[in-house]
């Protein structure tokens, strides 16, 4: 009877050990598969860190470009104001020329205005008009040049804004990879312990 009880206990322990061994080996298989997948995920991490550093270095110019944009806008505003003033002066000179041409008597002293006096005033205004037009042309040239610079600058800023979005995306992905890497080490440790359990159970079944 005792032998039968011992035999039953032995078979029960053996069956329990085999079940544990099966569970451990399934866990080992799952861990090996998971570790292999995680290794593939973190494979390109170093390249991503290099790209992250490169993008951070390029984005150091953002503030400088923003300041330059403000400076260009202020300069364009000043030039536009100067153009407007000069166009007003141009209109005033032309208007004065027309009035002098049609003027017969002085509105203040009512004396007759001589043709020579008219020509002198018209000549003076004509010189003013020439100078004003030259100034307007110079200002227009500067304005066009600055507008082109601003257009190119806005392209650069837009490019850096896109790189800023790219950097944010990469940083988030790297954070995820760091989490995976941390879990990966734990899985490797768990695999090591599971392998030890597997060997122990195998030895028990051999005895």
């Amino acid at each position: 009877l005792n032998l039968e009880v011992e035999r039953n206990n032995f078979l029960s322990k053996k069956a329990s050990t085999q079940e544990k061994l099966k569970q451990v080996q399934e866990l080992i298989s799952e861990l090996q598969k998971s570790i292999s997948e995680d290794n593939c995920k973190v494979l390109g991490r170093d390249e991503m860190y290099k790209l992250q550093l490169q993008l951070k270095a390029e984005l150091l110019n953002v503030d400088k470009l923003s300041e330059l944009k403000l400076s260009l806008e202020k300069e364009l505003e000043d030039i536009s104001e100067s153009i407007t003033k000069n166009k007003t002066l141009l209109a005033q000179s032309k208007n004065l020329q027309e009035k002098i041409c049609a003027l017969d008597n002085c509105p203040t002293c009512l004396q007759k205005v001589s043709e020579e006096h008219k020509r002198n005033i018209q000549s003076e205004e004509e010189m003013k008009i020439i100078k004003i037009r030259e100034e307007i042309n110079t200002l227009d040239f500067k304005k066009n040049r600055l507008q082109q610079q601003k257009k190119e600058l806005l392209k650069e800023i837009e490019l850096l804004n896109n790189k800023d979005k790219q950097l944010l995306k990469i940083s988030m992905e790297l954070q995820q990879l760091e989490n995976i890497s941390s879990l990966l080490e734990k899985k490797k440790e768990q695999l090591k312990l599971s392998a030890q359990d597997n060997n122990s159970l195998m030895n028990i079944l051999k005895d």
Side-chain angles (χ1 to χ4, degrees):
L1 183 64
N2 287 338
L3 286 172
E4 185 66 26
V5 170
E6 284 180 11
R7 183 174 178 277
N8 286 338
N9 285 341
F10 172 76
L11 290 173
S12 176
K13 284 181 181 178
K14 185 178 179 182
S16 175
T17 302
Q18 286 174 332
E19 181 60 30
K20 285 180 182 176
L21 180 64
K22 182 185 174 186
Q23 289 174 357
V24 168
Q25 288 177 342
E26 284 176 354
L27 178 60
I28 287 172
S29 179
E30 287 174 9
L31 283 169
Q32 286 174 332
K33 184 183 176 184
S34 181
I35 287 169
S36 177
E37 289 173 353
D38 288 350
N39 276 328
C40 289
K41 287 176 183 176
V42 298
L43 198 61
R45 187 174 46 169
D46 290 343
E47 289 301 317
M48 287 180 72
Y49 270 118
K50 285 180 186 176
L51 181 57
Q52 185 188 44
L53 288 173
Q54 181 187 329
L55 288 169
K56 282 182 177 179
E58 289 176 8
L59 286 167
L60 290 173
N61 291 325
V62 168
D63 290 341
K64 185 181 175 183
L65 291 180
S66 296
E67 286 175 11
L68 185 57
K69 176 176 168 281
L70 288 173
S71 175
L72 280 173
E73 286 174 344
K74 178 68 172 65
E75 213 173 333
L76 279 166
E77 187 181 328
D78 291 344
I79 286 174
S80 293
E81 283 180 11
S82 294
I83 289 171
T84 301
K85 285 177 183 176
N86 277 286
K87 283 184 176 178
T88 301
L89 291 173
L90 184 65
Q92 286 173 351
S93 287
K94 285 183 176 180
N95 188 40
L96 183 57
Q97 275 188 326
E98 289 173 4
K99 282 183 178 179
I100 290 294
C101 186
L103 193 65
D104 290 326
N105 296 312
C106 175
T108 306
C109 64
L110 301 177
Q111 289 183 2
K112 185 173 175 63
V113 178
S114 68
E115 290 300 319
E116 185 182 354
H117 184 60
K118 286 183 183 181
R119 283 195 298 272
N120 287 338
I121 293 175
Q122 284 183 326
S123 179
E124 284 176 15
E125 293 307 314
E126 191 60 39
M127 291 297 293
K128 284 183 185 177
I129 287 170
I130 290 170
K131 284 183 180 180
I132 291 169
R133 279 177 175 159
E134 285 176 355
E135 181 65 16
I136 289 172
N137 288 336
T138 302
L139 289 168
D140 276 332
F141 178 78
K142 284 183 181 178
K143 184 179 179 181
N144 291 333
R145 181 170 52 80
L146 288 173
Q147 283 176 332
Q148 185 59 35
Q149 285 180 7
K150 184 184 173 183
K151 187 179 177 182
E152 290 168 5
L153 185 63
L154 289 174
K155 282 182 183 178
E156 282 186 62
I157 291 172
E158 186 182 359
L159 185 64
L160 286 180
N161 285 337
N162 290 334
K163 286 185 177 182
D164 189 42
K165 291 175 186 175
Q166 188 184 0
L167 176 62
L168 179 62
K169 183 184 175 186
I170 286 172
S171 298
M172 289 172 68
E173 287 174 358
L174 280 171
Q175 184 59 54
Q176 289 174 346
L177 290 178
E178 284 302 325
N179 294 337
I180 290 170
S181 183
S182 178
L183 288 171
L184 184 57
E185 293 306 312
K186 291 178 182 178
K187 287 176 185 177
K188 285 178 180 177
E189 187 60 33
Q190 192 179 2
L191 179 61
K192 184 180 175 182
L193 294 172
S194 297
Q196 289 173 359
D197 289 342
N198 180 74
N199 292 337
S200 298
L201 292 167
M202 293 282 283
N203 289 331
I204 289 170
L205 288 173
K206 283 180 184 177
D207 295 340

